[in-house]
Amino acid sequence: MTAKAGGAAGEGAPRWQALAVLVMGACVIGLSPILVRLTETGPAAAGFWRLAFALPLLAMMTRRSNGPISRPSPLALIAGLMFALDLGFWHYGIKYTSVTNATVLSNLTPVVVTAFAWIFLKQRPRTLFLVAVAVALGGSWMMALEKGGGPGVNPPVGNILSATTAIWYALYMIAIGEGRKREGASSLMFWSSVVGTPLLLVAALLLREQIIPLGAAGWAACAGLGLMHVAGQGSIAWAMGRLPTSTASVVVLVQPVVAAWLGYVLFGEAIGHMQALGAAVALSGVVLAQWASRPKA
């Protein structure tokens, strides 16, 4: 899923294909909170291993699509910093609250992205798109409120960390969205991972986390995070070269639905009637957002 820098501005794939790749990427990313719980490491260390295992694959993809790896762009460096903050805050949120809450609250991203694009990038959204964002976020909140704080070591702290994650992820998506106008997805992903990897390792060391997985299952989960990062986040970055950033930020709200289902299957985090209804409402908002953001005839 790579594109050469010269064609990064959105040529080639039709809109429906970009949407399909984006949804697939969001579903794959929905696996990440499950794998984080299984790494047998600290939260920041899990983020470090995710990027460390992804780097060799991203390097090969970048060389294959663009030839020799060029110097990083400022947007790639900014994306790396924002993504390191995103992973650090989110993984600690996963530690302290439920998988569902951590994923739902971190996906308040559309509000930040839409506001930023409107104010700073002069991308005025349609009224129907704003309604769709409200519907999708309303469904997400219904999922989060079903169990109150949710299980975890410290749900209130976990919920705050997870909500703060939305800011970092929004800034990451904006940087990737702008960067895709100038360069390929694989190059952006590679350099952002190069920046994020040492930052997360330093954070893990300063916080005195468990760095090395305790067994084979932990190593497998770390490797799985790396593969998931390449397939999931790489697909999202590729699709963002062909879709508006605000639209892409709403589509990734399918992540909480996937995470909630996996949390139920693997960790017994029950899905109540309100959560099920919230999932349906959130997905309805995603569909409405796609319809509202379709190109005008």
Side-chain angles (χ1 to χ4, degrees):
M1 297 295 180
T2 57
K4 290 186 180 295
E11 300 177 1
R15 179 183 172 85
W16 69 265
Q17 183 179 343
L19 285 173
V21 171
L22 183 62
V23 171
M24 182 198 74
C27 289
V28 172
I29 294 297
L31 294 168
S32 58
I34 306 300
L35 292 173
V36 168
R37 285 257 182 110
L38 300 175
T39 57
E40 303 174 350
T41 69
F48 161 73
W49 288 116
R50 167 176 172 167
L51 298 184
F53 274 105
L55 271 175
L57 292 174
L58 291 172
M60 289 189 293
M61 292 167 60
T62 303
R63 288 182 62 86
R64 182 176 179 181
S65 60
N66 300 329
I69 298 176
S70 59
R71 298 176 63 181
S73 66
L75 284 171
L77 299 179
I78 293 172
L81 174 60
M82 293 302 106
F83 198 63
L85 289 168
D86 165 65
L87 289 183
F89 275 71
W90 187 30
H91 287 184
Y92 267 97
I94 295 169
K95 175 181 178 179
Y96 290 127
T97 190
S98 69
V99 167
T100 300
N101 282 19
T103 310
V104 168
L105 294 174
S106 66
N107 276 279
L108 296 173
T109 302
V111 175
V112 182
V113 169
T114 302
F116 188 96
W118 193 348
I119 296 172
F120 296 104
L121 303 181
K122 309 303 180 185
Q123 297 177 2
R124 181 183 178 88
R126 300 182 189 178
T127 301
L128 185 58
F129 181 82
L130 295 177
V131 172
V133 171
V135 170
L137 290 174
S140 297
W141 273 102
M142 290 169 66
M143 294 176 65
L145 293 175
E146 166 71 18
K147 295 181 290 183
V153 178
N154 193 330
V157 171
N159 291 342
I160 291 172
L161 290 172
S162 300
T164 306
T165 299
I167 298 174
W168 309 128
Y169 193 49
L171 295 175
Y172 165 78
M173 292 193 73
I174 290 168
I176 291 293
E178 290 301 299
R180 286 290 284 115
K181 297 176 181 178
R182 302 169 179 83
E183 56 187 299
S186 57
S187 179
L188 279 170
M189 289 291 297
F190 171 74
W191 282 115
S192 63
S193 298
V194 167
V195 172
T197 302
L199 292 177
L200 286 165
L201 178 58
V202 170
L205 292 171
L206 291 176
L207 294 169
R208 298 182 179 180
E209 293 182 1
Q210 173 69 34
I211 306 295
I212 305 299
L214 299 177
W219 281 112
C222 289
L225 279 172
L227 292 173
M228 177 223 62
H229 181 72
V230 174
Q233 209 63 51
S235 296
I236 292 173
W238 180 86
M240 287 181 66
R242 292 154 174 79
L243 296 170
T245 303
S246 55
T247 301
S249 69
V250 178
V251 174
V252 296
L253 283 172
V254 300
Q255 292 181 38
V257 180
V258 176
W261 180 76
L262 290 174
Y264 166 73
V265 172
L266 298 177
F267 301 129
E269 295 183 358
I271 300 177
H273 296 298
M274 186 64 73
Q275 279 189 311
L277 178 60
V281 172
L283 290 177
S284 298
V286 169
V287 174
L288 182 61
Q290 295 315 305
W291 188 80
S293 61
R294 70 196 188 284
K296 294 181 180 180

